[in-house]
């Protein structure tokens, strides 16, 4: 005999529990992707490279041209 008004052994909470569980799994996957993306090695053109910082300091006027050229030369010799 079918139970027309019974939605399973867990009742209506079974559906809500599944939605909560799926949301938790999705949140864990998103967190994993974010952590892995932050740990990924950056290309030399990205991030806080010394040359880019030097260029920005010169553009802002924090150092003069002589200081800029001296430090730029020192950076290129270090490679």
């Amino acid at each position: 005999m079918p139970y027309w008004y019974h939605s399973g052994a867990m009742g209506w909470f079974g559906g809500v529990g599944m939605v909560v569980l799926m949301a938790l799994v999705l949140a864990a996957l998103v967190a994993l992707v974010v952590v892995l993306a932050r740990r990924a090695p950056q290309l030399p053109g990205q991030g806080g490279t010394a040359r880019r910082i030097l260029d920005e300091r010169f553009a802002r006027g924090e150092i003069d041209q002589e200081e800029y050229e001296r430090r730029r030369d020192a950076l290129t010799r270090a490679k």
Side-chain angles (χ1 to χ4, degrees):
M1 173 182 222
Y3 297 99
W4 296 103
Y5 299 107
H6 194 271
S7 62
M10 294 171 54
W12 68 271
F13 184 71
V16 173
M18 268 308 246
V19 170
V20 169
L21 180 63
M22 287 173 38
L24 288 173
V25 169
L26 182 61
L29 287 174
V30 168
L32 180 66
V33 168
V34 168
V35 167
L36 291 177
R38 288 184 179 177
R39 285 185 165 187
Q42 294 184 353
L43 298 174
Q46 297 177 341
T49 62
R51 177 64 189 264
R52 185 182 57 81
I53 294 170
L54 183 64
D55 291 342
E56 289 175 0
R57 289 187 64 199
F58 180 64
R60 286 192 299 257
E62 293 177 9
I63 57 175
D64 61 355
Q65 185 171 357
E66 181 181 324
E67 180 73 14
Y68 171 78
E69 290 171 355
R70 185 177 65 77
R71 291 181 184 220
R72 183 193 60 204
D73 293 341
L75 286 174
T76 54
R77 281 193 305 266
K79 289 182 179 182

